[in-house]
Amino acid sequence: MRIIFGVSHPKQVHIRKNIVRNLIKRGHDVQILAIDKDITLYLLNIYGMGYEVYGRHQRDIPGKAFNITACTYKALTIARQFKPDILVAGNPYLAYVSKILRRSHIMLTDTEHAALSFLLTYPFTDVVCTPSCFKRKINPRKHVSYNGYGELAYLHPNYFKPDPSVLDDLGLSKDDRFIILRFVAWQASHDVGQYGISPAMRMEYVLKLEKYAKVFIVAEEKQKKEFEKYKLKILPEKFHSLLNYAQLYIGEGGSTATEAAILGTPSIHVSSTAKYCGNFEDLHKNYKLIYTFSDDRQALEKAMEILEDPDSKRKWRQRREKMLKEKIDVTAFMTDFIENFPESFYELREKRGRE
């Protein structure tokens, strides 16, 4: 089988890397088409994943509108040469290509509030594949879900082993307590009108949190000079290992909040978007692995409450074990689903009809 994977965000590199490797090992031909955004290309190179760039991420509306034509045309040119059987992506460009070429398209998504991307992609995809906790309603004739989270595709213990050398890189030991604090730029199309930690509260966060542990700041945009000494400086591919050893994660990044929770690190997500997302609800309601707040002061108070409990990390590790026992190996599921498509989809749909 010949398969094209679309990658338009660093997180998608992580989600797809083990699936792609599995499919290649099973003898399938895989082509990765990448959008140049943030560290996406860097990660593809680090993980030894061959790719072709078919566009650059655009921040403004005119640029995004231009990409609809430009990226679709470039992807179509590449796809006509590669001759895929299936295209797998999350953005609309490869969905359009699939319709032009009359090939199957699988949409992978876990972001309910990415309404524009969903609206532009959904009519042109054959299947929408989501976590079972996904809150947006999807026509069951087009929907398949799995009992897990997208982040489990790369943070499940079958694939992820923390690298302790990241502690050496920062002059830390396994006994040192540290906190990861994340600020986002709020520039994605699905971030319009949303908010997290107010600029006025950012320094208060740092000053209060550093009373409990060393603070590292991860930010998508340049911060004020007073934050410079807190800036995290490690290789991007080591970030999840550092997150694994942290005493607490708190910040505006939803994916990072989910990653921390899955790793068994106390996690607090500060964002008005949290109410839309099923993974936060599932991780909190069923496992108490994450807390979400739209009020940044309440979030800070919860962080201090967790940090004052010397046993909090152990509690989160135990909760993580419960979660892992109840969730599936997402990479194994996706590998089998894609390899056996469309029969795999028909079987899952029939099974759902019998339940």
Side-chain angles (χ1 to χ4, degrees):
M1 186 182 293
R2 300 175 69 78
I3 309 161
I4 285 181
F5 278 85
V7 174
S8 55
H9 187 280
K11 176 182 169 181
Q12 293 179 0
V13 178
H14 294 301
I15 289 176
R16 288 147 172 67
K17 64 183 179 183
N18 295 312
I19 300 168
V20 167
R21 288 168 178 166
N22 285 351
L23 289 168
I24 290 174
K25 285 180 182 177
R26 295 184 185 185
H28 302 288
D29 294 324
V30 177
Q31 171 73 65
I32 296 174
L33 299 190
I35 295 291
D36 186 357
K37 178 184 180 182
D38 301 330
I39 59 169
T40 298
L41 304 187
Y42 172 87
L43 291 174
L44 287 168
N45 288 325
I46 284 293
Y47 296 131
M49 302 173 72
Y51 61 90
E52 284 196 52
V53 176
Y54 73 108
R56 294 181 180 277
H57 173 69
Q58 303 291 338
R59 293 184 180 274
D60 55 34
I61 298 300
K64 292 180 185 297
F66 170 78
N67 264 3
I68 291 177
T69 301
C71 293
T72 301
Y73 177 77
K74 183 66 180 292
L76 178 61
T77 301
I78 298 169
R80 277 179 168 153
Q81 295 176 341
F82 184 72
K83 296 180 173 59
D85 300 296
I86 300 176
L87 296 91
V88 183
N91 65 40
Y93 315 129
L94 295 189
Y96 303 155
V97 170
S98 73
K99 285 301 178 188
I100 295 170
L101 297 181
R102 297 183 180 181
R103 293 293 183 268
S104 297
H105 180 270
I106 299 172
M107 177 185 182
L108 306 182
T109 183
D110 62 356
T111 309
E112 289 94 333
H113 59 285
L116 180 59
S117 178
F118 191 89
L119 179 67
L120 294 172
T121 309
Y122 180 77
F124 303 94
T125 191
D126 296 285
V127 178
V128 182
C129 189
T130 75
S132 54
C133 57
F134 194 75
K135 295 172 77 172
R136 179 184 284 272
K137 290 189 179 300
I138 302 171
N139 186 328
R141 295 186 60 82
K142 236 182 188 183
H143 187 208
V144 63
S145 63
Y146 54 87
N147 183 27
Y149 315 105
E151 291 81 359
L152 269 177
Y154 52 97
L155 294 179
H156 192 285
N158 288 347
Y159 309 95
F160 175 76
K161 299 292 184 290
D163 179 1
S165 71
V166 70
L167 299 175
D168 297 330
D169 296 343
L170 294 169
L172 299 169
S173 73
K174 288 186 177 181
D175 296 323
D176 287 330
R177 291 163 59 93
F178 63 91
I179 297 161
I180 296 177
L181 173 60
R182 181 166 172 79
F183 303 133
V184 303
W186 299 103
Q187 293 179 339
S189 60
H190 55 261
D191 289 335
V192 176
Q194 304 300 334
Y195 58 88
I197 303 169
S198 68
M201 279 287 290
R202 291 187 174 189
M203 183 50 74
E204 184 173 346
Y205 264 58
V206 172
L207 295 177
K208 288 193 173 180
L209 291 174
E210 69 177 352
K211 292 179 181 179
Y212 297 93
K214 186 175 180 63
V215 174
F216 293 107
I217 292 178
V218 181
E220 290 182 343
E221 57 186 354
K222 188 174 178 61
Q223 298 295 303
K224 294 179 180 179
K225 283 186 178 180
E226 55 261 40
F227 294 111
E228 185 61 32
K229 68 176 182 177
Y230 301 99
K231 183 178 179 180
L232 178 62
K233 299 176 182 177
I234 58 169
L235 294 173
E237 64 269 27
K238 290 188 175 185
F239 178 72
H240 294 126
S241 292
L242 187 69
L243 195 60
N244 173 79
Y245 294 114
Q247 188 65 30
L248 173 77
Y249 165 80
I250 181 169
E252 300 166 321
S255 293
T256 312
T258 303
E259 291 167 345
I262 287 172
L263 289 168
T265 295
S267 178
I268 299 176
H269 182 44
V270 192
S271 170
S272 58
T273 66
K275 60 187 177 183
Y276 303 113
C277 302
N279 60 334
F280 301 139
E281 184 177 298
D282 192 58
L283 282 164
H284 174 72
K285 182 179 179 181
N286 294 318
Y287 307 106
K288 292 294 186 291
L289 282 167
I290 195 170
Y291 288 88
T292 61
F293 297 90
S294 57
D295 184 305
D296 52 8
R297 190 164 295 279
Q298 289 180 0
L300 180 57
E301 290 172 358
K302 186 63 180 182
M304 293 188 291
E305 177 188 321
I306 292 172
L307 291 166
E308 286 170 1
D309 179 1
D311 208 26
S312 60
K313 186 79 173 185
R314 185 189 64 81
K315 291 176 181 175
W316 254 258
R317 294 294 197 201
Q318 288 181 335
R319 296 169 188 173
R320 174 185 186 248
E321 289 305 311
K322 178 179 184 293
M323 179 271 295
L324 289 173
K325 288 178 182 178
E326 296 180 1
K327 299 301 182 183
I328 67 167
D329 180 331
V330 174
T331 289
F333 169 81
M334 287 305 306
T335 302
D336 291 341
F337 180 75
I338 293 169
E339 181 178 42
N340 297 301
F341 189 84
E343 287 77 10
S344 55
F345 177 56
Y346 299 146
E347 289 174 6
L348 287 171
R349 199 168 66 180
E350 288 176 10
K351 180 180 178 182
R352 184 173 60 209
R354 293 193 298 268
E355 291 175 348

